[in-house]
């Protein structure tokens, strides 16, 4: 079956513009995650969805960042008034974890990422 | 706060050599540890997942170990091949959130 897909693969924008990044998880996966990989930095967690709900938004770096998920499937990460420090690769992952057990340990499957460059 | 360190940051070896990548972490209260591979311009591919109750996992030429008491994990790659060239990341999970190291960039020279 198809893996996690993300679009666009590359996005170049000007400082101050808004951008939307899209993630299509593996069909049937209830959990969806967004991560960011900045140059010279490790991957950092941004937000986690279980179904359409986001029980953990703790990783979002500022209120310019928001995300939603509809129909328990596609998710959109929106960055408003982009800044140069937002330049990074944004990765999405999905898993079949229901999140109901503290022992939920399902593998997260990652998409290819969106490379965002803010000029 | 969990901190994950990977040493070395880069490694170059001749084809056929066995090698070990290291990962250390500060908080042993983890649920599992995963090793990923990242190729340039591509996403992450999960290689091995070790549950917190396990000590090692094997897949083909790869073997990963976990020692929670010392806060260490190793990824052993046997008989390395040029196709193994990539960045290898370890990640620790506490429930759903993964905390990653910065990775080891491996180059296998033909």
């Amino acid at each position: 079956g198809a893996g996690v897909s993300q679009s666009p693969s590359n996005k170049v924008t000007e400082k101050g513009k808004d951008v939307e990044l899209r993630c299509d998880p593996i069909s049937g996966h209830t959990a969806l995650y967004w991560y960011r990989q900045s140059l010279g930095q490790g991957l950092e967690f941004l937000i986690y969805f279980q179904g359409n709900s986001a029980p953990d938004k703790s990783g979002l770096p500022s209120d310019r960042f928001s995300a939603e998920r509809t129909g328990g499937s596609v998710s959109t990460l929106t960055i408003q008034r982009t800044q140069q420090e937002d330049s990074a690769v944004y990765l999405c992952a999905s898993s079949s974890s229901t999140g109901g057990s503290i022992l939920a340990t399902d593998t997260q499957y990652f998409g290819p990422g969106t490379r965002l460059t803010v000029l | 706060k969990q901190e994950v360190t990977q040493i070395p940051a880069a490694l170059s070896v001749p084809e056929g050599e066995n090698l070990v990548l290291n990962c250390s972490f500060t908080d042993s209260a983890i649920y599992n540890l995963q090793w990923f591979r990242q190729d340039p311009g591509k996403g992450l591919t999960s290689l091995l997942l070790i549950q917190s109750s396990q000590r090692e996992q094997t897949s083909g030429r790869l073997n990963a170990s976990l020692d929670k008491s010392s806060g260490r994990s190793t990824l052993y790659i046997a008989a390395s091949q040029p196709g193994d060239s990539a960045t290898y990341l370890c990640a620790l999970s506490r429930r759903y959130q993964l905390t990653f190291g910065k990775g080891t960039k491996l180059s296998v020279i033909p």
Side-chain angles (χ1 to χ4, degrees):
Chain A
V4 178
S5 61
Q6 293 185 246
S7 61
S9 56
N10 281 283
K11 177 71 176 179
V12 180
T13 190
E14 294 179 347
K15 177 181 174 181
K17 295 285 182 66
D18 298 350
V19 296
E20 286 189 351
L21 312 179
R22 177 188 169 105
C23 172
D24 277 277
I26 292 173
S27 178
H29 278 189
T30 57
L32 186 146
Y33 320 79
W34 283 97
Y35 294 86
R36 177 169 75 171
Q37 188 173 32
S38 304
L39 187 63
Q41 303 294 320
L43 279 96
E44 56 176 329
F45 168 82
L46 297 179
I47 188 169
Y48 156 65
F49 284 93
Q50 184 60 240
N52 293 333
S53 301
D56 189 348
K57 305 178 183 179
S58 63
L60 294 178
S62 76
D63 58 7
R64 295 186 296 104
F65 287 72
S66 63
E68 65 174 10
R69 188 179 186 195
T70 56
S73 180
V74 173
S75 176
T76 302
L77 177 68
T78 301
I79 309 173
Q80 296 178 310
R81 306 181 302 281
T82 52
Q83 303 294 313
Q84 289 184 331
E85 61 263 30
D86 300 334
S87 295
V89 176
Y90 289 82
L91 290 160
C92 174
S94 70
S95 77
S96 57
S97 170
T98 59
S101 166
I102 62 170
L103 296 180
T105 54
D106 295 310
T107 298
Q108 295 186 18
Y109 297 89
F110 282 77
T114 293
R115 181 175 296 278
L116 175 66
T117 303
V118 182
L119 302 176
Chain B
K1 179 183 176 183
Q2 178 73 274
E3 293 185 4
V4 183
T5 303
Q6 290 189 247
I7 295 174
L11 179 65
S12 183
V13 300
E15 181 178 2
E17 196 163 288
N18 302 325
L19 60 101
V20 174
L21 306 180
N22 297 291
C23 173
S24 61
F25 48 94
T26 55
D27 184 354
S28 63
I30 64 173
Y31 295 132
N32 67 45
L33 183 144
Q34 287 185 249
W35 282 93
F36 291 88
R37 167 184 175 141
Q38 185 173 32
D39 294 280
K42 298 185 179 180
L44 280 66
T45 301
S46 180
L47 299 173
L48 290 165
L49 183 152
I50 310 177
Q51 309 284 3
S52 62
S53 59
Q54 298 175 322
R55 293 191 64 84
E56 67 177 328
Q57 281 287 333
T58 298
S59 176
R61 295 183 293 109
L62 306 179
N63 175 276
S65 68
L66 174 62
D67 184 344
K68 290 202 311 180
S69 62
S70 65
R72 293 179 184 276
S73 175
T74 62
L75 178 66
Y76 174 82
I77 302 177
S80 59
Q81 302 171 357
D84 294 331
S85 297
T87 296
Y88 290 80
L89 299 160
C90 73
L92 285 85
S93 89
R94 189 172 176 83
R95 297 191 72 175
Y96 47 79
Q97 182 178 143
L98 293 177
T99 301
F100 286 84
K102 293 186 179 181
T104 294
K105 185 175 182 179
L106 173 66
S107 298
V108 180
I109 311 303

